[in-house]
Amino acid sequence: MAFSRLFFHLLLSLLASGSAYGRTGPKFLDPVVLAQQEADRVVELPGQPQVKFRQYAGYVTVDESHGKALFYWFFEATHKPQEKPLLLWLNGGPGCSSIGYGEAEELGPFLVQKGVPELKFNQYSWNKEANLLFVESPIGVGFSYSNTSSDLNELGDASTAKDAYAFLVNWFRRFPQYKSHDFYIAGESYAGHYVPQLSERIFDENKKVSKEKYINFKGFIIGNALMDDETDQDGMIDYAWDHAVLSDETYHTIKKYCNFSKSSDEQLPECTEAVNTYYSVYDIIDMYSLYSPICVDPNAATSRRLRKIEGIAPKVVAKSDGWHRKPAGYDPCVDYHVEAYFNRRDVQEALHANVTKIPYAWTLCSDAIENWNDAPASVLPVIRKLIAGGIRVWVFSGDTDGRIPVTATRYTLNKLGLNITEDWNAWYNHQEVGGFTIVYDGLAFVTLRGAGHQVPTFVPKRARQLIKHFLANKQLPKSPF
C-alpha cells in the first residue's frame, strides 16, 4: 500500500509538470521508471533562483563490468517540454566538463557568479528552445568515474564515443518520454571530434538496432571546433599574425619550418622554437578571446596551466602547455567561482553527485586524464559521411577566438570541397549584424561577431538565436527586424 501511494503521488507530480507526456498524448510510465526519475530530480540548488521547469541530475552506468558511470544534468524546456526537441551539449578538452563550462558559464539555465546568490538565471538559456542535456564525458571528467582505475589510461576518441552512445541508450530508458522527440547534439572545441564521432555511432547503430534502442537523431552543430589538424594549425597561425599577435619574424619562421601535415616528431627545431614564441604571447593576453581582460587574481583557477595530455591532436602545438590554457568569459575569473561552487558538499548532494567519493577535487578540466590513445588527424571523412546520410550539419565560429579561430574553420570547410549554394551574407540580430553565413550543399557555416571561444558566454542573445534557427532548420535573417 505504501508503494502504491508513493507511485500515485509521483505520477500526479509528473503529470502536473507535463513530464509524463509524449508527443502524441498522455503516456503513463512504468512505476519503476517514475521512481528512478524522481530519485534524480533536483529540488533546489544552493543559491538557485526559483524556476518552474524541472531539472534532474545523477549517474547513468555505461559499463557495469568496469563500474563506469557518466554524470548528467538535464533541464526540461521552460515551456511545453513535451513539444520541444532534445539537445545534448558536449564540451571538449579533451577532459573538460560540459557542466562546468556549458551549463555554468555558457548556455545553461543557471550561471555561476561571484558572491551571493551564487547562481543567476540565464535569460538566454538554451532550454528556452529545447530540453537540454549535459553530460560529463569521458570518465575521469568532473563527477564521471570508473571503478576500474586502469580505464583512465585507455581513453581516446573511440572509447569516448562508445561510452557516450551507451549513456544515451540507458538515459532514454530512464526518460522514455523523450525517446520520440527529435534529438540533436551540439558542442564546441574538442567536441569537434566528440560530436561527429558520437553522431556517426548513432547513425550506424540506428541501421541495425531494435526499436527500443533507436534514437531519433536529426543533426548536430559544432562551434570553434577542432576538425582537421593541418588546417586548424595553419589557420591558428595565420589568424594570430593577421590580428597583430605574432611578429613578422616569428610568423615567417613558422611558415618556413613548420609542416602541420606532419607529426611533432617530424618537425624541425626551428619550428618548435617559433611555436613556443607564439605561445608566450598568451601568457599576457587571453588566447580564447583576444580582446577580453585576463584574470589577475593569483588564487584563481585560470592562473593555472593544465598538465599536458599526451596523444591528442593536433600533434605539433599539443606539445605546448598553451594548447591547454583554460578559456575565460566576461568575468575572466569565473572558472575560479565555478570550481569553488561544484566542490561544495551541499551542491554535490543537491545534484546527487560524487556518491562514490572520488579521490580528487572536481575541476573544470580533468587532472586525472594524462593519456589520450586515439585521435584522428581529421574528422572530415565522418562529416562527409553524415552529410551524405542526410544528417543536418551546422558549424559556427566566434570571430575573436585565437584558439580555433574562424580562419582555421574556413580553411577546414574549404577542404571538404562542398558546392556553395548560398554565398557569403550578413545575418542580423534585430538591427545589428550578428555575423556572416555561407551555405554549402549539406552544411551551413555561421560566424558570430565579437564572440570568443565560448560563443554563448560572449554573445548569449545571438547564440540563442543561432540554436533556435538550427533546431527549426531555418536560415538566419538577412535583414534587420
Side-chain angles (χ1 to χ4, degrees), residues 9 33 90 107 227 237 265 287 339 354 456:
H9 288 299
V33 170
L90 297 173
L107 56 108
M227 292 182 281
I237 299 302
D265 296 334
M287 181 184 203
E339 291 197 345
N354 199 15

Side-chain angles (χ1 to χ4, degrees), residues 10 173 221:
L10 289 177
R173 286 176 179 151
I221 180 170

Side-chain angles (χ1 to χ4, degrees), residues 92-262:
C96 294
S97 168
S98 303
I99 285 167
Y101 283 123
E103 196 295 314
E105 294 190 21
E106 299 185 67
L107 56 108
F110 305 129
L111 301 180
V112 173
Q113 62 182 0
K114 183 179 182 180
V116 178
E118 299 88 346
L119 301 178
K120 63 179 178 181
F121 180 69
N122 177 12
Q123 63 177 318
Y124 301 110
S125 173
W126 287 13
N127 78 320
K128 291 189 174 183
E129 308 300 337
N131 298 287
L132 191 54
L133 176 61
F134 299 91
V135 60
E136 292 188 308
S137 174
I139 52 107
V141 175
F143 297 121
S144 296
Y145 68 90
S146 174
N147 291 328
T148 307
S149 57
S150 60
D151 286 342
L152 289 173
N153 296 318
E154 298 173 0
L155 295 174
D157 283 17
S159 64
T160 299
K162 178 183 177 182
D163 287 349
Y165 177 75
F167 166 86
L168 285 174
V169 170
N170 292 332
W171 188 88
F172 278 118
R173 286 176 179 151
R174 191 171 302 179
F175 291 89
Q177 65 266 40
Y178 291 100
K179 206 161 188 321
S180 62
H181 291 222
D182 289 347
F183 176 65
Y184 298 90
I185 312 175
E188 71 188 13
S189 196
Y190 198 81
H193 278 220
Y194 291 162
V195 173
Q197 290 166 339
L198 175 56
S199 298
E200 182 184 34
R201 185 94 184 190
I202 297 169
F203 181 79
D204 289 343
E205 292 294 329
N206 272 351
K207 295 177 181 177
K208 56 188 178 183
V209 297
S210 63
K211 183 179 179 181
E212 181 189 9
K213 290 186 177 181
Y214 187 87
I215 296 173
N216 194 23
F217 178 56
K218 299 298 184 181
F220 68 84
I221 180 170
I222 47 178
N224 292 85
L226 185 75
M227 292 182 281
D228 184 88
D229 287 6
E230 181 180 15
T231 49
D232 284 338
Q233 292 175 104
D234 276 334
M236 187 168 63
I237 299 302
D238 288 352
Y239 180 92
W241 180 82
D242 195 48
H243 285 73
V245 171
L246 271 181
S247 70
D248 289 355
E249 180 182 3
T250 301
Y251 174 74
H252 291 304
T253 300
I254 291 174
K255 285 294 186 179
K256 181 178 180 180
Y257 292 105
C258 294
N259 183 342
F260 293 130
S261 65
K262 295 182 178 180

Side-chain angles (χ1 to χ4, degrees), residues 10 80 87 164 198 249 407 454:
L10 289 177
K80 299 182 178 179
L87 178 67
L198 175 56
E249 180 182 3
T407 306
Q454 295 170 250

